[in-house]
Amino acid sequence: NEAAPTSNEMNGNDESRSAKTDAANEEEKAKEVAKPIVKEETLQKQAQLRERCLQLKRKRVHADRLHIPFTLKKILVEEWEVISQCGMLYDLPSKVSVRDALNKYLESKLIPMREKEEMENNNASSCEKNEDVKMEIDDDNDTQQPSIFDREKEWVNMVEGIALVFDQALPIHLLFEQERAQYGSLRRRILAQRRIAEYNDQLEAMKVDGVNESERNTGEEGQPTTESIDNKSATNTS
């Protein structure tokens, strides 16, 4: 038969347990004191930063960032399949270039503008008004509406800016990786053709200058000088 624990042993066990719990409580309190106190403002800022990060991740998707019509999306997907999956390339140069498309777009904007301006001028000339009223109208038009020359210049500058952005973005962002080698070879060919054309123009200009100089020299030789005229007049008098 085992002996039952005495009261002293039981008291010792209770004290050891209470000491352990006290030590654990003190450790928890120390940890709580060591933790930095987070304010409500910092928590709000962290929540706002998280929301912004989520919004930026959503905006990275091109479909969400660019509103492209369905027909254009279909064309882009078909081109991606043909070029990247099938390994096929388009024949260049194309029949209608980007410059041709931009010029047609510019004409579609400028021609109605000019026709409208001509109609307004004809209507203003046909209507009989006093000079004071005409002066007031001219002053109002000068202050409020820009001239047709300024409006045409704005459209031309916009089209030129689009062409410049296209030329700069084409080899970096717009072409597939399979098309860049074709672009490089075609660009080198076009630059060589331009150099040859410039060289031929310089040769033609030099030829024209040489012909003009020879004509000038022959003309100067054929013109009679004052000494020859005096000699002829002396022989005639004799």
Side-chain angles (χ1 to χ4, degrees):
N1 295 324
E2 293 179 356
T6 60
S7 60
N8 293 327
E9 290 178 354
M10 292 176 68
N11 292 327
N13 292 328
D14 293 335
E15 289 177 356
S16 63
R17 287 175 185 173
S18 62
K20 288 179 181 179
T21 53
D22 293 337
N25 292 327
E26 288 178 358
E27 288 179 357
E28 290 179 359
K29 288 179 181 179
K31 288 179 181 179
E32 289 178 358
V33 171
K35 286 182 180 179
I37 298 170
V38 181
K39 295 181 179 180
E40 292 182 358
E41 294 179 357
T42 55
L43 291 173
Q44 290 178 358
K45 288 181 180 179
Q46 289 178 359
Q48 290 177 359
L49 289 172
R50 288 176 183 175
E51 289 180 358
R52 288 178 185 176
C53 291
L54 291 172
Q55 290 176 359
L56 290 172
K57 287 180 180 179
R58 291 171 184 171
K59 287 181 179 179
R60 286 175 187 173
V61 182
H62 295 287
D64 295 336
R65 188 167 54 185
L66 297 174
H67 298 286
I68 301 173
F70 178 76
T71 54
L72 186 56
K73 285 183 180 179
K74 186 178 178 182
I75 293 169
L76 292 173
V77 171
E78 290 176 354
E79 287 185 351
W80 175 78
E81 290 179 351
V82 169
I83 294 168
S84 62
Q85 301 297 322
C86 301
M88 300 172 67
L89 297 174
Y90 289 98
D91 293 331
L92 296 177
S94 62
K95 294 180 181 179
V96 179
S97 63
V98 175
R99 175 61 69 178
D100 295 335
L102 290 174
N103 290 333
K104 288 180 181 178
Y105 175 75
L106 183 62
E107 289 177 359
S108 67
K109 295 295 181 182
L110 294 182
I111 290 171
M113 192 186 299
R114 291 169 183 170
E115 291 177 354
K116 186 178 179 181
E117 187 73 15
E118 289 178 359
M119 290 175 65
E120 288 178 356
N121 292 329
N122 293 327
N123 292 328
S125 61
S126 61
C127 295
E128 295 180 358
K129 295 181 180 179
N130 295 325
E131 293 182 356
D132 295 332
V133 176
K134 288 182 181 179
M135 291 294 291
E136 290 177 357
I137 292 169
D138 292 335
D139 293 335
D140 294 334
N141 290 329
D142 291 336
T143 55
Q144 294 178 0
Q145 296 179 354
S147 63
I148 187 170
F149 178 76
D150 294 333
R151 285 180 286 172
E152 288 181 357
K153 190 176 180 180
E154 288 179 356
W155 282 105
V156 171
N157 291 332
M158 187 194 70
V159 169
E160 292 296 329
I162 293 171
L164 181 62
V165 171
F166 178 82
D167 291 336
Q168 292 179 354
L170 179 64
I172 301 170
H173 300 290
L174 300 179
L175 290 178
F176 292 103
E177 188 176 357
Q178 294 83 1
E179 293 177 314
R180 290 177 183 175
Q182 184 187 18
Y183 169 79
S185 62
L186 185 63
R187 182 176 175 81
R188 287 191 293 271
R189 192 190 311 167
I190 291 170
L191 291 174
Q193 291 175 358
R194 287 179 181 176
R195 289 173 184 171
I196 292 168
E198 290 176 358
Y199 180 72
N200 292 328
D201 293 336
Q202 290 177 359
L203 287 177
E204 289 180 359
M206 291 172 67
K207 288 179 182 178
V208 171
D209 293 335
V211 170
N212 292 328
E213 287 179 358
S214 62
E215 288 178 356
R216 288 174 186 173
N217 293 327
T218 54
E220 290 176 357
E221 290 176 356
Q223 288 179 358
T225 59
T226 54
E227 294 178 356
S228 62
I229 292 170
D230 293 334
N231 293 325
K232 286 180 181 179
S233 62
T235 53
N236 291 325
T237 53
S238 62

